[in-house]
Amino acid sequence: MEIRVATVFGASRFEQKVTDAPASVTIITADEIRKYGYRSLAEILRSIPGVFITNDRNYSYIGVSGFDRPGDYNGRVLLLVDGHRMNDSIYGQAPIGMEFPLDVDLIDRLEFIRGPGSSLYGANAFFGVINIYTKSGEGVRGAEVSASAASRETFQGRLTYGNRFGSKLEGLLSGTLYSSEGYDRLYYQEFNSPATNNGVATDADRETAGNLFGKFTLGDFTLSGVYSSREKHIPTASFGTVFDDSRTRTTDQRSYLDLNYAHTFDNDLGLKARLFFDDYHYYGNYAYDLTSAGLPATIAVNKDTAYGEWWGAELQLTKTFCQRHKLTLGSEIRDNIVQEQKNYFDEASLPASFRVPILDDRRRSYVWAVYFQDEFHLLNNLILNAGVRYDHYSTFGGTANPRAALIYHPLQSTALKFIYGEAFRAPNAFELYYNDGGASLKANPDLKPEKIYTYELVWEQYIGEHLRSSASGFYYRINDLISQQVDPVDGLLVFQNIDRVKARGTELELDGNWGDGWQGKVSYTYQDVDLGDGAPLSNTPHSLVKANLSAPLVKDRLFASPELQFTGSRATLSGGKTDGYVVVNLTLFSKELVKGLELSASVYNIFNNKYGDPGSSEHRQAVITQDGRTVRAKITYRF
């Protein structure tokens, strides 16, 4: 019997079967994205076993293995697009909401690689790596126009053209515009007083975004680039801002150019090289009441900005020796040319003393790294995959991080994996240098990197030709976790290496894929995380249950795809708990009812369940309410 096994690239930086990969891997395809009606990268990730998403009505945050501290900026997961690092140079943030600079319709496949990946990728590959491959020009073969309309005056449009021109040249160019009015009224009981509109934020949930993406391949060379911008109004009055003031908003802009070369020579030597340039802009407008500062009834907008500009290069060699060793050797350098953070009031009506910059910090830093990995076939059914990477930072020095996996195949349909790995997260520029002039937060340039030690046991079993099951158990320990603490000397918040975290958990999954269009999966995850002294960690759900099914109503033409997600209760920063909740979504998807035409209709949170996510330290709300029932209709036409 021939067992169909998917392949993964990101686990070892070369293509291999998922059963041979030194990690537990989930793959989401473009077909699944369409059938389940996923609207953002956050929604795709939410469907993955063991992953949970938190949203504060400004950004979305990813939790993995039970860990997601409120207010963290996704710096403990590495996000790659066609191999290009998307985590920025100021906050180390992986953008997964509408600030993600690509339309999800351009994703060809997504690999989620669990566990520490610093042995290959360095910083941010702490809990896992999200590796995204975009569609090619040949895969599109023509023009596509797509439009959608959804609840709360939400509209999105996309225009894409891609094709192959001759034997070596192909290209793709795509642009997307998005706008949403959001909720016109959001109630927060923490602000329930006549002075703050009785707790109702009006027209304060708007969001707009747009992006442009291009990718062109000539032989072994690929040039790709992105420009994106997203603006989000903030209804929660975070950071002590004035409640129900529509001027409070954030804007994120991201762009890059990436030139990649990949070639395999006749002697089976693989060579990959990359040269890139990135920049990131963040603009925050925050409306503050300055009456307490001695000004008569004055509300002024504070400007909080960040700008990062960096370039880098990568080189990787891969070679097989003696038919048993597959060696990978690589190096990387990133030069952060500009790491700039500013905070100021610029309104002319304010006294001169208020218009002096509160923060004007400009830095430059660099990191270089080398790594080595060997996939050694000890026996025909026993593989040792081991590697190590050394990173050197101009800010704190060097760190080495190994990973080793023993992979045993007692049967063709069975894989047992024993994995040990270490990873680190470097302190980012915000944690090191942000100082708001003594208002609440001060800098700590002496921060050290966080370090995680992970042990994992994975069993993967293929049942017949269509079913795959897996069971895994994990344990990890984090040392020198970077957390905000109150300095008893001056009462200011400061980032310090103070916390230790321990966690253990298990994950069960069964998924099936049948040739007649049926596909689905069900999973259960249990995780227990504490601060080393037994105290529970905030925002950690003990249980996650996920199930989805795509069923053909008309063969190869019309599909019904329900999805269920259960998230257990989570501790809040105030000492309370959120309620556990169930969300059920349903998408009807059709293709080729008319040649070139795709239609879909989706209902999200069908039963209109009320639920919320834990707030962060900048919120007065312990729990932030999430969306109720929403609907969307979408049309795509290819010509």
Side-chain angles (χ1 to χ4, degrees):
M1 180 180 64
E2 184 66 26
I3 298 173
R4 294 176 293 179
V5 178
T7 60
V8 59
F9 182 89
S12 297
R13 293 186 85 142
F14 58 76
E15 190 170 14
Q16 61 188 158
K17 293 181 178 181
V18 294
T19 50
D20 292 341
S24 172
V25 178
T26 294
I27 295 173
I28 305 293
T29 65
D31 186 60
E32 291 174 277
I33 294 171
R34 292 149 62 206
K35 286 180 177 177
Y36 291 104
Y38 298 136
R39 298 166 291 183
S40 67
L41 177 57
E43 290 189 350
I44 299 172
L45 296 172
R46 194 192 298 269
S47 72
I48 294 175
V51 173
F52 61 101
I53 302 295
T54 302
N55 185 280
D56 64 2
R57 307 212 73 86
N58 188 15
Y59 295 107
S60 292
Y61 310 97
I62 180 172
V64 183
S65 300
F67 191 98
D68 180 26
R69 300 302 298 273
D72 284 351
Y73 291 116
N74 294 336
R76 295 182 178 91
V77 174
L78 178 64
L79 174 60
L80 303 173
V81 173
D82 294 326
H84 185 96
R85 174 186 287 262
M86 298 303 298
N87 299 64
D88 67 71
S89 66
I90 304 295
Y91 307 103
Q93 177 171 333
I96 64 171
M98 293 309 298
E99 71 277 7
F100 177 62
L102 289 178
D103 191 311
V104 296
D105 284 350
L106 300 179
I107 297 176
D108 186 57
R109 61 186 262 131
L110 178 150
E111 302 171 348
F112 182 70
I113 303 151
R114 297 172 180 81
S118 289
S119 64
L120 287 174
Y121 295 104
N124 304 114
F126 201 76
F127 284 112
V129 177
I130 304 165
N131 193 31
I132 291 173
Y133 289 96
T134 60
K135 294 180 178 178
S136 65
E138 185 178 20
V140 175
R141 292 205 173 194
E144 284 186 3
V145 178
S146 182
S148 65
S151 303
R152 289 178 278 282
E153 298 183 56
T154 301
F155 303 97
Q156 183 167 330
R158 174 178 59 87
L159 178 61
T160 302
Y161 180 78
N163 222 325
R164 173 173 283 275
F165 310 95
S167 60
K168 293 186 176 181
L169 175 64
E170 65 176 300
L172 181 146
L173 188 63
S174 182
T176 298
L177 292 175
Y178 169 88
S179 69
S180 176
E181 289 299 305
Y183 282 88
D184 56 2
R185 293 171 61 86
L186 284 167
Y187 172 71
Y188 298 106
Q189 63 179 3
E190 293 81 1
F191 295 93
N192 188 7
S193 75
T196 50
N197 199 29
N198 297 311
V200 177
T202 57
D203 298 325
D205 195 36
R206 295 176 182 146
E207 184 174 25
T208 58
N211 57 67
L212 181 66
F213 173 72
K215 183 168 74 171
F216 304 92
T217 299
L218 178 62
D220 295 325
F221 290 91
T222 299
L223 177 66
S224 60
V226 156
Y227 173 78
S228 71
S229 180
R230 176 256 196 181
E231 180 182 85
K232 180 66 174 67
H233 293 239
I234 306 173
T236 56
S238 55
F239 298 103
T241 53
V242 175
F243 184 75
D244 195 28
D245 192 311
S246 61
R247 290 175 294 177
T248 299
R249 67 190 73 176
T250 58
T251 301
D252 294 86
Q253 294 178 350
R254 185 77 160 84
S255 62
Y256 72 76
L257 278 175
D258 183 292
L259 179 63
N260 183 56
Y261 173 81
H263 184 80
T264 301
F265 296 91
D266 292 339
N267 61 357
D268 198 35
L269 174 66
L271 171 64
K272 295 179 181 178
R274 183 185 303 275
L275 183 66
F276 57 86
F277 178 83
D278 291 64
D279 73 11
Y280 168 72
H281 290 258
Y282 160 78
Y283 305 94
N285 286 355
Y286 298 94
Y288 283 99
D289 185 349
L290 300 182
T291 305
S292 60
L295 297 180
T298 298
I299 296 178
V301 175
N302 175 263
K303 306 285 187 178
D304 189 60
T305 68
Y307 174 56
E309 190 175 280
W310 65 100
W311 72 274
E314 300 175 14
L315 180 67
Q316 177 181 303
L317 298 172
T318 305
K319 173 71 174 175
T320 300
F321 290 94
C322 305
Q323 297 182 338
R324 288 189 176 273
H325 293 271
K326 187 161 189 174
L327 302 180
T328 301
L329 179 65
S331 63
E332 180 180 345
I333 183 171
R334 290 196 310 278
D335 183 5
N336 298 306
I337 304 169
V338 178
Q339 291 174 298
E340 179 181 282
Q341 299 180 84
K342 291 184 177 181
N343 187 283
Y344 58 95
F345 290 96
D346 67 348
E347 297 189 23
S349 61
L350 293 176
S353 60
F354 281 85
R355 288 184 276 114
V356 175
I358 300 169
L359 171 69
D360 189 359
D361 187 83
R362 187 180 178 96
R363 306 278 173 168
R364 181 170 185 170
S365 65
Y366 66 85
V367 56
W368 60 264
V370 292
Y371 59 89
F372 172 81
Q373 178 184 261
D374 182 15
E375 183 186 71
F376 180 22
H377 288 255
L378 300 168
L379 302 170
N380 290 335
N381 62 349
L382 184 63
I383 300 171
L384 174 64
N385 188 305
V388 64
R389 171 167 165 148
Y390 176 81
D391 290 79
H392 183 86
Y393 280 74
S394 60
T395 51
F396 63 81
T399 175
N401 294 271
R403 179 181 68 180
L406 193 63
I407 303 159
Y408 177 52
H409 297 281
L411 300 170
Q412 181 191 9
S413 58
T414 305
L416 291 172
K417 302 178 181 182
F418 307 88
I419 307 166
Y420 170 77
E422 299 178 14
F424 76 102
R425 183 181 76 86
N428 58 53
F430 173 72
E431 294 164 336
L432 288 166
Y433 307 121
Y434 193 90
N435 187 329
D436 61 9
S440 61
L441 181 63
K442 65 180 182 179
N444 183 4
D446 297 324
L447 281 174
K448 300 183 296 182
E450 302 172 338
K451 189 87 174 205
I452 188 171
Y453 306 86
T454 300
Y455 305 83
E456 189 173 8
L457 174 63
V458 181
W459 169 52
E460 298 174 353
Q461 180 68 52
Y462 286 78
I463 306 168
E465 297 181 63
H466 306 295
L467 291 174
R468 172 188 172 272
S469 65
S470 68
S472 63
F474 64 84
Y475 170 83
Y476 66 78
R477 185 181 79 252
I478 302 174
N479 291 344
D480 296 322
L481 181 71
I482 298 173
S483 294
Q484 274 191 2
Q485 303 291 322
V486 177
D487 189 331
V489 176
D490 52 23
L492 296 178
L493 290 171
V494 61
F495 287 100
Q496 294 181 341
N497 297 102
I498 194 167
D499 284 339
R500 296 186 63 187
V501 173
K502 294 191 301 183
R504 59 205 62 81
T506 186
E507 191 168 284
L508 306 172
E509 181 183 359
L510 176 67
D511 65 77
N513 199 325
W514 292 265
D516 55 2
W518 290 81
Q519 65 180 49
K521 67 180 66 172
V522 60
S523 67
Y524 172 73
T525 303
Y526 173 81
Q527 47 213 3
D528 183 25
V529 187
D530 62 63
L531 286 170
D533 56 1
L537 200 66
S538 61
N539 198 29
T540 296
H542 281 297
S543 295
L544 297 170
V545 179
K546 304 188 180 183
N548 59 36
L549 176 69
S550 184
L553 302 181
V554 177
K555 186 177 181 180
D556 297 328
R557 299 296 178 105
L558 180 63
F559 301 86
S561 304
E563 183 173 37
L564 179 148
Q565 298 172 350
F566 167 77
T567 301
S569 64
R570 291 170 282 174
T572 65
L573 292 178
S574 61
K577 281 192 173 184
T578 66
D579 294 329
Y581 65 89
V582 174
V583 169
V584 178
N585 308 318
L586 174 65
T587 294
L588 295 177
F589 170 75
S590 73
K591 61 179 181 179
E592 299 296 331
L593 292 177
V594 175
K595 185 177 181 180
L597 184 67
E598 286 186 0
L599 299 171
S600 69
S602 302
V603 184
Y604 307 94
N605 195 0
I606 290 176
F607 300 109
N608 200 29
N609 285 346
K610 307 298 183 184
Y611 68 100
D613 291 334
S616 305
S617 57
E618 66 264 25
H619 300 109
R620 283 176 59 179
Q621 301 92 332
V623 179
I624 297 176
T625 304
Q626 300 300 302
D627 288 352
R629 183 188 302 113
T630 57
V631 298
R632 184 186 73 160
K634 181 179 178 182
I635 180 171
T636 301
Y637 183 65
R638 298 184 178 90
F639 54 92

